[in-house]
Amino acid sequence: MGELKLSDYSSDIAILSPFLLIVSALAVPWVEVSLSSLVDALYFLLPWVLVVPLHEGLHALTVKLLRAKVRFGVTTIGKVALVPYVAVGTPLPAKRYTLVSLSPLVLSAISFSLAWALRSDFWALIYIFNTAGMAGDFLTALVLLKMPGDAKVFDEGTVLRSKNEMPRPYPLWVSSLLKALIVLAFLLVLFLGRVEVVVER
């Protein structure tokens, strides 16, 4: 019997999430973040607050469309970050569970399109935050895509189990590569000067 615990990959997720944030930010290069006033800070925080229910709502909607039961919960990644999640109360084939895992891509696609069409910082931030929040979803999908499509997956909230083997999402050396990529991405952002955070008292 195989299992996938995202907590076993918490350091990879902690690296992949800011990497996705940086890459997403580079895709909407006009965005500037200023925290010079309370209004600016709220404008920055509002998309982040909205992303959480929209992201988890897309997971839940996909589960319901697949006629499965939905459960909600909150867990921790590492020792600090509280992470809400949607659990599937009905066993699903790996192929269908992959759809559940990747369903928030719809929000990324819509918000990215609106960001470019309206030249909107608000929708750009929705896109950036949602995509960065998909680190665990992408990791889960990589595991599921390596399994037989009809293999039943049992969701216990923070652990996925199957009677089939649940392979590693990638070889161990990829974890080291992720660390190198986040450093490279950070240096790239500094070099290109795409992100400017201004804090005034």
Side-chain angles (χ1 to χ4, degrees), residues 33-54:
V33 176
S34 172
L35 302 178
S36 59
S37 70
L38 180 60
V39 173
D40 287 341
L42 289 174
Y43 188 80
F44 174 75
L45 289 173
L46 182 60
W48 183 78
V49 171
L50 288 175
V51 159
V52 176
L54 290 172

Side-chain angles (χ1 to χ4, degrees), residues 19 22 180-192:
F19 176 74
I22 290 168
L181 284 175
I182 188 63
V183 171
L184 206 64
F186 181 73
L187 292 173
L188 185 64
V189 167
L190 286 179
F191 178 73
L192 294 176

Side-chain angles (χ1 to χ4, degrees), residues 37 51 53 63 103 129 138 140 177:
S37 70
V51 159
V63 172
S103 57
F129 293 149
F138 288 134
T140 300
L177 180 63

Side-chain angles (χ1 to χ4, degrees), residues 99 108 110 146 197:
L99 294 176
S108 287
I110 291 171
K146 292 182 175 184
V197 179

Side-chain angles (χ1 to χ4, degrees), residues 4 18 26-27 42 53 78 89-90 94 101 109 114 120 128 142 153 157 165-166 169 172 174-175 177 180 183:
L4 170 65
L26 291 173
L42 289 174
T90 310
S101 186
L114 287 172
S120 164
I128 292 167
L142 285 173
V153 176
E165 180 189 354
M166 298 192 82
L172 288 171
V174 173
S175 294
L177 180 63
V183 171

Side-chain angles (χ1 to χ4, degrees), residues 113-125:
S113 300
L114 287 172
W116 274 96
L118 304 174
R119 212 65 167 180
S120 164
D121 285 358
F122 176 82
W123 285 108
L125 289 171

Side-chain angles (χ1 to χ4, degrees), residues 31-197:
V31 174
E32 291 184 6
V33 176
S34 172
L35 302 178
S36 59
S37 70
L38 180 60
V39 173
D40 287 341
L42 289 174
Y43 188 80
F44 174 75
L45 289 173
L46 182 60
W48 183 78
V49 171
L50 288 175
V51 159
V52 176
L54 290 172
H55 180 110
E56 297 305 324
L58 280 167
H59 283 309
L61 176 62
T62 308
V63 172
K64 295 303 284 182
L65 289 173
L66 294 172
R67 299 183 180 179
K69 294 179 181 176
V70 180
R71 291 184 290 118
F72 296 91
V74 177
T75 188
T76 56
I77 295 288
K79 295 183 179 178
V80 182
L82 285 175
V83 181
Y85 65 85
V86 168
V88 184
T90 310
L92 285 177
K95 189 174 183 179
R96 289 190 171 193
Y97 202 104
T98 305
L99 294 176
V100 174
S101 186
L102 296 178
S103 57
L105 279 173
V106 172
L107 178 57
S108 287
I110 291 171
S111 55
F112 180 75
S113 300
L114 287 172
W116 274 96
L118 304 174
R119 212 65 167 180
S120 164
D121 285 358
F122 176 82
W123 285 108
L125 289 171
I126 292 275
Y127 160 70
I128 292 167
F129 293 149
N130 184 67
T131 306
M134 289 192 66
D137 298 327
F138 288 134
L139 193 144
T140 300
L142 285 173
V143 172
L144 295 170
L145 288 169
K146 292 182 175 184
M147 298 175 65
D150 59 353
K152 293 285 186 183
V153 176
F154 301 82
D155 189 343
E156 297 179 5
T158 57
V159 181
L160 296 182
R161 301 188 194 278
S162 177
K163 292 180 180 177
N164 294 69
E165 180 189 354
M166 298 192 82
R168 288 187 59 83
Y170 39 71
L172 288 171
W173 61 265
V174 173
S175 294
S176 299
L177 180 63
L178 285 173
K179 292 179 178 70
L181 284 175
I182 188 63
V183 171
L184 206 64
F186 181 73
L187 292 173
L188 185 64
V189 167
L190 286 179
F191 178 73
L192 294 176
R194 299 290 195 185
V195 177
E196 180 184 354
V197 179

